[in-house]
Amino acid sequence: MKRTVPTRGLAVGAAGLLLAASAFAPATAAERTAAATARYDCALKFDGQDDTAAAGQKYADESAMTMQLQVPTVVSPGQVVSLRGTAALQLSEEMDMAEGYLSTVEGYSDTLSVAVTVNGKTFTHRANRWQTGKTALKSPFVVKGGVTFPTFTVPANAVGSIKIALPQNNVVDTPLYPEYSDVKTVAFTARATASGSMGTYNYDVACYQPTPTAGVIAEIPVASAGSAATGNSGKSSSGGSGSTGSGSAAASGSASDPLADPFAAALTEGDDVLSADEQAAAQQTAQQNAVQGVYMPAWALILLGAVATGAACGYALLTRYRLGILRAALDE
């Protein structure tokens, strides 16, 4: 008979400790969470694979990328902005065929980026190295990790809004062309390591959108001249070390099916766009926060965390007691 160990009490305890710890975290500027998902086709090659044997067998597995970022609710011309969040890549279901032979996968990318559009012009803003954790091979197969970006400065003549979008095509050359891919330039590349009973394999990965999709993560309103806006700030020159110029704005299109809930909550593309009234309200809130701040007393957060932790410990002890009774009954 297979027995399972209850984890609900432990999870509640961890949440209580996290809540208590948050009391010591510094207050951040007015932000919101935004996300978008789009389909990407990913071609791959493992180190040592015979290029000659691969000729005529080009293929790309259907995958999906979701990026969830913390973005300012409103920005001002000249403001320095930083972006951070999480990126998740759901790989093809074909990976299920490797179960039993490969057990874990991990990887990194130095070419992941977002497309930033200001005043109708788009530039590619490259992220810092995106590193995934070691992930067990299972279905659905999703690898994810935190993502951060160098800061960039809102142009002094910026008006309207700034759009942040998922990685677009034609950003980086792929190392897989032409033997393994018909596409020479892609949205991003990566290196992956898969391990299991078959051994350890290192892969080159190259992903692109088969149908170009705007994939707008967020549209951030730009405050009018003279208005105060509160957002992420830092010391950097315009564009940051990860920013490069590109062509016109990304082509619009509909997003593909979302991932299998890689985050607790995800926004659709339409949810990210603020109406004129919402923009005005966001600006007013940002101005108020910049003057007086919105805080919760630290002692209240600590007390709430302690109560939650105590309740979790009590629940865990009660569960253990019940398991003891059940185990005794089964042994009779």
Side-chain angles (χ1 to χ4, degrees):
M1 177 177 178
K2 182 178 179 181
R3 295 176 178 173
T4 58
V5 179
T7 59
R8 181 179 177 186
L10 298 178
V12 174
L17 292 174
L18 180 61
L19 182 59
S22 68
F24 302 98
T28 58
E31 293 181 336
R32 65 188 180 96
T33 302
T37 300
R39 172 185 167 181
Y40 291 82
D41 283 356
C42 295
L44 54 87
K45 168 198 172 184
F46 65 84
D47 290 357
Q49 190 168 346
D50 188 345
D51 291 351
T52 303
Q57 300 180 16
K58 300 174 184 178
Y59 68 94
D61 290 331
E62 181 177 342
S63 306
M65 165 68 75
T66 288
M67 195 176 291
Q68 179 174 286
L69 301 176
Q70 295 298 119
V71 300
T73 56
V74 61
V75 296
S76 294
Q79 179 178 331
V80 178
V81 177
S82 65
L83 303 172
R84 70 188 188 284
T86 306
L89 182 64
Q90 180 173 329
L91 299 175
S92 168
E93 294 181 358
E94 297 294 330
M95 290 294 291
D96 295 347
M97 298 172 58
E99 285 191 86
Y101 303 98
L102 298 175
S103 55
T104 62
V105 175
E106 60 184 322
Y108 68 89
S109 173
D110 288 323
T111 60
L112 196 65
S113 64
V114 290
V116 180
T117 302
V118 186
N119 292 349
K121 296 182 179 180
T122 300
F123 67 89
T124 298
H125 190 50
R126 184 165 291 182
N128 299 316
R129 171 171 286 194
W130 176 58
Q131 180 80 51
T132 75
K134 184 173 289 187
T135 305
L137 186 61
K138 60 182 179 180
S139 181
F141 186 51
V142 179
V143 292
K144 63 181 178 180
V147 60
T148 61
F149 294 80
T151 56
F152 69 90
T153 302
V154 179
N157 63 344
V159 294
S161 63
I162 294 177
K163 290 183 180 180
I164 310 294
L166 291 169
Q168 301 295 302
N169 288 341
N170 303 317
V171 169
V172 59
D173 290 340
T174 170
L176 306 185
Y177 179 85
E179 288 84 7
Y180 297 87
S181 175
D182 290 321
V183 180
K184 185 176 182 180
T185 56
V186 295
F188 62 92
T189 58
R191 284 283 290 175
T193 299
S195 302
S197 61
M198 290 179 60
T200 299
Y201 296 86
N202 296 310
Y203 293 86
D204 280 320
V205 183
C207 302
Y208 62 94
Q209 293 186 358
T211 302
T213 303
V216 176
I217 300 171
E219 186 166 359
I220 308 169
V222 177
S224 58
S227 298
T230 303
N232 295 327
S233 62
K235 296 180 180 180
S236 172
S237 61
S238 179
S241 61
S243 303
T244 57
S246 70
S248 59
S252 61
S254 59
S256 62
D257 293 335
L259 297 184
D261 192 23
F263 307 113
L267 303 178
T268 62
E269 183 174 328
D271 290 333
D272 296 333
V273 182
L274 300 179
S275 65
D277 291 339
E278 290 172 330
Q279 292 181 23
Q283 292 179 20
Q284 182 178 2
T285 300
Q287 292 171 10
Q288 293 173 349
N289 289 346
V291 175
Q292 60 189 16
V294 179
Y295 308 101
M296 188 173 186
W299 64 265
L301 289 173
I302 295 173
L303 178 61
L304 185 58
V307 170
T309 303
C313 292
Y315 182 85
L317 291 173
L318 178 60
T319 301
R320 185 173 182 178
Y321 173 72
R322 289 175 175 174
L323 278 176
I325 294 176
L326 178 59
R327 196 173 286 118
L330 291 173
D331 293 339
E332 293 179 356

